[in-house]
């Protein structure tokens, strides 16, 4: 089977689910020699495909049989393929999320690598190449990010509480960053913190006192923005603060993805771990 045939085959299989796609690929001579990389979702594919050699690797999202994606499914896919196949070349890249705040400490499974910061978006926001590009794109952007940081940090504290106590809070529907934004006056509500806290407490069995206790016990106020803030919250609020249509969430994500340089990626701890894995398996995965 030629490389083009392999790509066509995996492309046709992808709508089923990722594990099935990889197992089918491993049955071919070319697929058995390929390094399979599982990432959380499509945005992650767009970031990482810029750095990996597409002649030697194949990057897929973590889609399971039910069409769900995320770090949990990513870890399951990699774990099961490592158990079921004969020495497959496979690893996964997941966001760190809030694993650093878990007690007991989170154990990352074998062949799973995680981002240096909370997620790949925050890794990119920290990178000099992205910071320079955002200034060039619009000189107001760094100031807007700084103005919105307290909001995104507060949401990050809530997400940490939700994660370590399994509160089941729905941030996509009930506790959204737009709640802090006055869409009529195009500015942050003066009481945005109270608004977010009321929504958070009403959405889960948690009190304001418990929330403040976690912030204090975990020393969250002393933590880096890049570990506390969620990338999508940062991008979404920036979209509202910039107001104009050319700064949509999709456009901001595309802009920082393209700006994120290979040099910045190669300086990351994430790359070093992947490089060590590739050396141990005698393979090349990074594009020259």
């Amino acid at each position: 089977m030629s490389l083009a045939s392999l790509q066509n085959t995996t492309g046709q299989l992808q709508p089923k689910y990722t594990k099935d796609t990889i197992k089918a690929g491993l049955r071919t001579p070319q697929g058995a020699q390929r390094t399979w990389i599982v990432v959380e979702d499509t945005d992650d594919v767009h970031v990482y495909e810029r750095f990996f050699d597409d002649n030697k690797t194949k990057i897929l999202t973590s889609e399971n049989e039910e069409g769900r994606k995320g770090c949990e499914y990513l870890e399951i896919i990699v774990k099961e393929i490592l158990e079921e196949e004969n020495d497959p070349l496979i690893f996964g890249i997941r966001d760190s999320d809030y694993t650093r705040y878990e007690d007991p400490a989170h154990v990352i499974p074998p062949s799973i690598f995680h981002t240096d910061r909370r997620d790949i978006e925050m890794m990119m926001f920290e990178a000099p190449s992205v910071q320079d590009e955002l200034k060039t794109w619009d000189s107001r952007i760094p100031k807007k990010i700084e103005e919105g940081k307290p909001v995104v940090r507060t949401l990050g504290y809530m997400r940490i509480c939700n994660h370590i106590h399994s509160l089941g809070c729905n941030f996509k529907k009930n506790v959204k960053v737009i709640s802090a934004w006055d869409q009529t006056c195009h500015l942050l509500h003066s009481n945005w913190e109270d608004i977010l806290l009321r929504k958070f407490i009403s959405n889960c069995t948690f009190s304001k006192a418990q929330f403040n206790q976690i912030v204090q016990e975990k020393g969250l106020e002393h933590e880096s923005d890049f570990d506390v803030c969620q990338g999508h919250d940062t991008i979404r609020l920036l979209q509202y603060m910039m107001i104009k249509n050319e700064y949509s969430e999709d456009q901001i994500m595309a802009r920082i993805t393209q700006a994120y340089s290979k040099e910045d990626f190669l300086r990351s701890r994430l790359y070093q771990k992947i490089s060590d894995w590739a050396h141990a398996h005698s393979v090349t995965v990074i594009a020259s």
Side-chain angles (χ1 to χ4, degrees), residues 58-77:
K58 180 67 179 177
I59 307 177
L60 300 174
T61 64
S62 58
E63 186 170 0
N64 72 357
E65 296 93 328
E66 299 174 344
R68 296 180 179 177
K69 302 171 187 174
C71 58
E72 178 185 352
Y73 309 112
L74 181 157
E75 291 187 356
I76 290 171
I77 290 168

Side-chain angles (χ1 to χ4, degrees), residues 161-287:
C161 292
N162 185 61
H163 176 77
I164 61 181
H165 286 287
S166 302
L167 300 176
C169 181
N170 191 325
F171 288 90
K172 290 185 178 179
K173 291 183 179 180
N174 300 317
V175 188
K176 301 186 289 186
V177 70
I178 196 172
S179 302
W181 185 251
D182 186 328
Q183 298 183 73
T184 302
C185 299
H186 301 297
L187 47 75
L188 290 170
H189 287 293
S190 59
N191 62 334
W192 63 263
E193 191 169 8
D194 291 334
I195 293 172
L196 290 177
L197 193 55
R198 283 199 303 270
K199 285 183 175 292
F200 177 64
I201 291 171
S202 65
N203 193 240
C204 56
T205 54
F206 215 60
S207 68
K208 181 176 180 179
Q210 288 173 305
F211 171 78
N212 291 333
Q213 183 179 358
I214 293 298
V215 172
Q216 182 177 5
E217 286 181 352
K218 297 290 183 179
L220 299 184
E221 292 181 331
H222 305 292
E223 290 284 85
S224 167
D225 297 322
F226 301 106
D227 293 323
V228 169
C229 299
Q230 190 208 52
H232 285 293
D233 285 340
T234 302
I235 293 172
R236 199 164 290 127
L237 183 56
L238 178 59
Q239 167 189 257
Y240 301 141
M241 297 183 81
M242 294 302 291
I243 301 173
K244 295 182 180 178
N245 291 336
E246 61 263 34
Y247 302 102
S248 71
E249 191 173 344
D250 287 344
Q251 288 165 315
I252 295 169
M253 185 64 193
R255 195 86 177 209
I256 66 175
T257 297
Q258 288 303 310
Y260 187 44
S261 70
K262 186 176 182 180
E263 291 72 24
D264 281 331
F265 178 66
L266 295 184
R267 282 193 287 265
S268 69
R269 295 190 301 275
L270 170 61
Y271 164 73
Q272 190 55 59
K273 292 174 184 176
I274 293 171
S275 178
D276 291 344
W277 179 94
H279 180 74
H281 289 80
S282 302
V283 296
T284 300
V285 294
I286 299 295

Side-chain angles (χ1 to χ4, degrees), residues 140-174:
R140 297 172 299 165
I141 289 179
K143 183 179 179 181
K144 294 295 184 183
I145 292 175
E146 200 63 30
E147 289 175 0
K149 199 172 289 180
V151 176
V152 184
R153 278 191 71 95
T154 298
L155 278 168
Y157 298 160
M158 293 173 183
R159 288 181 181 276
I160 291 168
C161 292
N162 185 61
H163 176 77
I164 61 181
H165 286 287
S166 302
L167 300 176
C169 181
N170 191 325
F171 288 90
K172 290 185 178 179
K173 291 183 179 180
N174 300 317

